[in-house]
Amino acid sequence: MSLVKPAMRGLLAKRLRFHLPIAFGLSLVAAAGFKYTVTEPRKQAYADFYKRYDSMKEFSAMREAGVFESVRPTGK
Amino acid sequence: MVSQCQQPKKAMQHLTARRVAGLLSRRGVAAFSSSGVKMASHGHGGVTEQTDMSVPLYWDRLDTPLPDRPYKDTLSDADKSLKQKEKGPWNSLSKEEKLALYRLTFNETYAEMKKPTGEWKTVLGGIFFFIGFTGLVVLWQRYYVYPPHPRTLDDEWQAMQVKRMLDMRVNPVEGFSAKWDYEKGQWK
């Protein structure tokens, strides 16, 4: 009985045909996952923070705590 | 010298065993270390037997199945007649004859070569032993080598440092200061 001749050519092409769509798909999934679990919440967190941010109030608080060198706390 | 050619893998195992014996000698296993000393002072004038690499060699290797020469190359008369019989139809060979022919050409079967050696237990034991020994060395270092801590690692200094970071509003959006409740003066 004679054996079937094995595939001698196109092995890489066959592998790529199978694996490249998977690779692209997984990359897109990873990117989408990162976007919606990390970047969107982070953008929202920054938006929320600055919505209610009073920079003068924060500045005064920091000044009173004494962390600045250009302005002293109001007591001094 | 022929036996050396035939069993390089066994020699490797002996080397491993000797190295392990060198480790075990720490525990005072005198038998191993003394036999090692005896072998070193054999008195051949320092010349050890080496395999003659200029002739075809035999080996038992999983990854290279067909050695350059058969295992037994000096055949007895019975072996020679068996080899003659091998030139005929193989159906006429009995099972024992086939096995005898295999053993003429090969030393160990694949099953025998793949036999587990239990070497991993020695390796793992040696690893744990030396990790433990290293732990003792590190402990000794902690008490006899390291200088005293810098004052910046004291608890009070660290507390002052945290307070200053909060006062400066370090990472107020998502990070450090975001976790501090400034109204209540405590961590969220």
Side-chain angles (χ1 to χ4, degrees):
Chain A
M1 71 142 190
S2 60
L3 297 166
V4 165
K5 184 176 177 182
M8 306 291 270
R9 290 159 176 260
L11 297 166
L12 180 62
K14 180 173 165 210
R15 182 186 165 82
L16 287 179
R17 238 180 86 84
F18 179 72
H19 282 93
L20 270 179
I22 296 174
F24 274 90
L26 282 180
S27 312
L28 287 172
V29 166
F34 189 82
K35 182 184 171 74
Y36 290 108
T37 57
V38 178
T39 61
E40 287 304 315
R42 188 170 286 167
K43 290 201 286 197
Q44 193 56 37
Y46 272 78
D48 293 338
F49 178 81
Y50 282 109
K51 218 181 295 178
R52 302 191 294 102
Y53 185 64
D54 182 0
S55 55
M56 284 316 296
K57 172 162 163 266
E58 295 292 317
F59 168 71
S60 315
M62 282 195 259
R63 177 184 179 177
E64 296 311 316
V67 294
F68 291 126
E69 291 182 353
S70 50
V71 287
R72 297 293 163 79
T74 49
K76 277 256 180 147
Chain B
M1 201 162 83
V2 171
S3 63
Q4 288 269 45
C5 303
Q6 283 164 358
Q7 299 175 35
K9 188 172 179 219
K10 283 246 178 72
M12 291 296 290
Q13 286 181 344
H14 283 151
L15 280 175
T16 316
R18 209 169 298 155
R19 228 181 294 133
V20 165
L23 308 178
L24 289 175
S25 67
R26 222 183 273 271
R27 295 202 185 108
V29 180
F32 282 116
S33 53
S34 64
S35 70
V37 166
K38 263 190 229 137
M39 295 193 109
S41 62
H42 211 188
H44 263 325
V47 176
T48 51
E49 280 194 16
Q50 289 191 324
T51 46
D52 183 4
M53 301 289 277
S54 63
V55 296
L57 300 175
Y58 177 80
W59 57 75
D60 280 314
R61 284 184 66 122
L62 293 177
D63 55 352
T64 320
L66 300 174
D68 289 341
R69 68 165 175 82
Y71 180 52
K72 292 202 176 73
D73 44 5
T74 48
L75 300 172
S76 69
D77 288 332
D79 296 333
K80 283 197 185 119
S81 60
L82 193 56
K83 279 295 202 184
Q84 279 302 113
K85 196 174 176 199
E86 191 191 17
K87 292 184 183 169
W90 288 344
N91 290 329
S92 60
L93 293 169
S94 74
K95 186 172 166 220
E96 292 79 21
E97 287 176 328
K98 288 178 192 169
L99 286 174
L101 282 168
Y102 182 89
R103 291 291 174 179
L104 283 181
T105 328
F106 298 106
N107 179 21
E108 285 185 318
T109 65
Y110 260 73
E112 284 164 7
M113 274 194 269
K114 284 184 180 179
K115 193 172 52 191
T117 60
E119 185 187 359
W120 66 273
K121 297 177 206 165
T122 313
V123 170
L124 219 55
I127 289 172
F128 290 144
F129 175 77
F130 278 102
I131 290 177
F133 180 72
T134 307
L136 289 175
V137 170
V138 169
L139 193 65
W140 178 85
Q141 272 185 172
R142 161 74 185 83
Y143 286 106
Y144 287 95
V145 175
Y146 291 166
H149 275 176
R151 61 180 169 154
T152 53
L153 295 181
D154 297 337
D155 286 333
E156 318 146 0
W157 189 285
Q158 292 274 306
M160 290 196 291
Q161 189 167 328
V162 167
K163 180 171 186 331
R164 191 172 149 78
M165 285 168 72
L166 290 171
D167 290 340
M168 287 196 286
R169 307 292 193 273
V170 167
N171 289 335
V173 181
E174 277 192 318
F176 191 73
S177 306
K179 299 191 165 73
W180 177 260
D181 190 342
Y182 281 94
E183 276 99 52
K184 289 191 202 144
Q186 62 188 20
W187 293 107
K188 284 182 186 164

